[in-house]
Amino acid sequence: MKPLCIALLSGTLALAQPPKLKVHISVDMEGVAGAVTGDQLMPGGFEYPRFREFMTREAVAAVNAAKAAGATEILVADSHGNGENLLIEMFPADVRIIRSWPRRQGMMAGVDASFDAAIFIGYHASTNNPQGVRAHTFSSARLTRVALNGTVITEGAINAAVAGHFGVPVIMMSGDDAAIAEVRSVVGPIEAAETKRNLGFHSANTLTPSASQELIGQKVRAALSRRKDFKPFLFKPPVTVDVSFKSYLPAEVLAYLSIIQRPDSHSIRFTGKDILEVSDFLQFLTHYSLALEP
Ligand SMILES: [Zn+2]
């Protein structure tokens, strides 16, 4: 066969393939419909086994909607608690799932420049938001403030910046009303599925699981159908992160390092050359302990 014919043939074959559309889905649990307290959110809670299934069903709703909208490859990151919440047998066989910690890029593990879109499911507001069910940033037990370049920030915005570093836009999120408003205030008007309205830290007016799953499906399809409207979210480098602790000693000991400043008794500051370096620093901060084993 002459080269021209091969080129024509391969051109025909290329046309027959659906265009590549790779989607990263990061899944947390506090923003899942019905979740309001540790009873649903932690192993040992009397409703946890049911709520890990609801969390899974919301993630699967996003997966199925993404596939219906043309996604050819989907990576799901289990990003709550121990990272072992999602019932992996409930996902379609062509989905891959990231589990457990520690891992680089945290809730955005696996994202890179080959992805076309990012989606957040089950997200919650930041620890500095006076509203929002279970509002916290990385650790409700240990951290009282996280700010990037001087602005208090929510996990969703930090994760959007990690995706943005690779040129990947966040196009849709689900969670309570406070979580959605907080991410949109930084990232812009992404599509969103409001799973519940917060009435306080431990109370919400919620959709049922099936209604929430249906809404998530609708919003994922809507987002992917106009994904060219969404731009990657970027933090201008260098990126300075301020972290305040509930306790005194983490700030004291971290400040032994020359790369760490200590603006006040309970706070430290680190400047990274970009958001990935800050992300690595935050992973270290939230996972390092001399008692790490093996
Ligand atoms: Zn969580």
Side-chain angles (χ1 to χ4, degrees):
M1 207 180 281
K2 286 178 186 165
L4 178 63
C5 303
I6 293 170
L8 282 172
L9 181 61
S10 58
T12 309
L13 284 173
L15 281 176
Q17 298 283 333
K20 176 198 82 100
L21 179 55
K22 223 171 145 180
V23 179
H24 187 282
I25 304 179
S26 172
V27 189
D28 205 345
M29 195 172 191
E30 287 83 352
V32 168
V36 280
T37 71
D39 293 333
Q40 296 84 45
L41 296 169
M42 292 174 216
F46 81 100
E47 288 191 310
Y48 175 76
R50 283 169 55 237
F51 272 77
R52 67 187 298 205
E53 183 176 331
F54 299 150
M55 175 194 186
T56 303
R57 289 188 186 281
E58 291 196 357
V60 169
V63 165
N64 288 339
K67 289 175 72 150
T72 53
E73 204 175 325
I74 297 175
L75 179 62
V76 176
D78 189 331
S79 300
H80 170 77
N82 59 15
E84 299 165 308
N85 312 278
L86 293 170
L87 299 166
I88 63 174
E89 66 275 24
M90 287 175 60
F91 286 83
D94 54 356
V95 169
R96 295 194 68 101
I97 299 164
I98 289 174
R99 310 188 78 204
S100 188
W101 324 95
R103 62 199 195 204
R104 296 185 79 175
Q105 296 172 27
M107 301 172 81
M108 295 308 289
V111 78
D112 61 30
S114 70
F115 283 83
D116 301 288
I119 288 171
F120 301 153
I121 298 297
Y123 269 43
H124 53 81
S126 78
T127 194
N128 303 106
N129 194 325
Q131 297 192 312
V133 173
R134 299 287 292 201
H136 70 276
T137 308
F138 299 122
S139 169
S140 47
R142 307 282 180 215
L143 305 183
T144 59
R145 182 175 184 270
V146 178
L148 288 192
N149 288 351
T151 304
V152 160
I153 198 140
T154 183
E155 288 171 20
I158 296 173
N159 294 341
V162 171
H165 178 87
F166 295 105
V168 180
V170 176
I171 62 170
M172 181 273 176
M173 70 175 289
S174 72
D176 72 11
D177 54 338
I180 290 167
E182 199 172 357
V183 169
R184 278 180 166 167
S185 72
V186 178
V187 175
I190 60 173
E191 291 282 349
E194 184 186 291
T195 60
K196 56 196 170 192
R197 291 215 181 102
N198 85 91
L199 301 177
F201 189 80
H202 271 160
S203 179
N205 175 336
T206 185
L207 294 180
T208 64
S210 59
S212 183
Q213 293 151 28
E214 173 65 28
L215 183 63
I216 285 168
Q218 283 173 22
K219 297 297 181 182
V220 167
R221 284 190 295 276
L224 279 169
S225 72
R226 62 181 192 94
R227 74 184 166 83
K228 301 280 186 237
D229 294 349
F230 305 101
K231 300 284 172 272
F233 172 66
L234 297 168
F235 253 105
K236 205 166 155 276
V239 181
T240 294
V241 59
D242 288 291
V243 179
S244 300
F245 302 92
K246 268 190 186 156
S247 296
Y248 187 98
L249 274 176
E252 178 179 302
V253 175
L254 277 161
Y256 294 166
L257 300 172
S258 60
I259 57 167
I260 303 292
Q261 296 169 269
R262 190 181 179 194
D264 66 52
S265 60
H266 285 63
S267 303
I268 58 100
R269 175 171 296 162
F270 169 80
T271 299
K273 69 174 163 39
D274 56 30
I275 188 70
L276 284 198
E277 213 170 84
V278 165
S279 170
D280 277 346
F281 173 74
L282 289 170
Q283 292 310 309
F284 175 86
L285 192 77
T286 49
H287 287 102
Y288 183 75
S289 152
L290 196 55
L292 281 177
E293 289 180 345

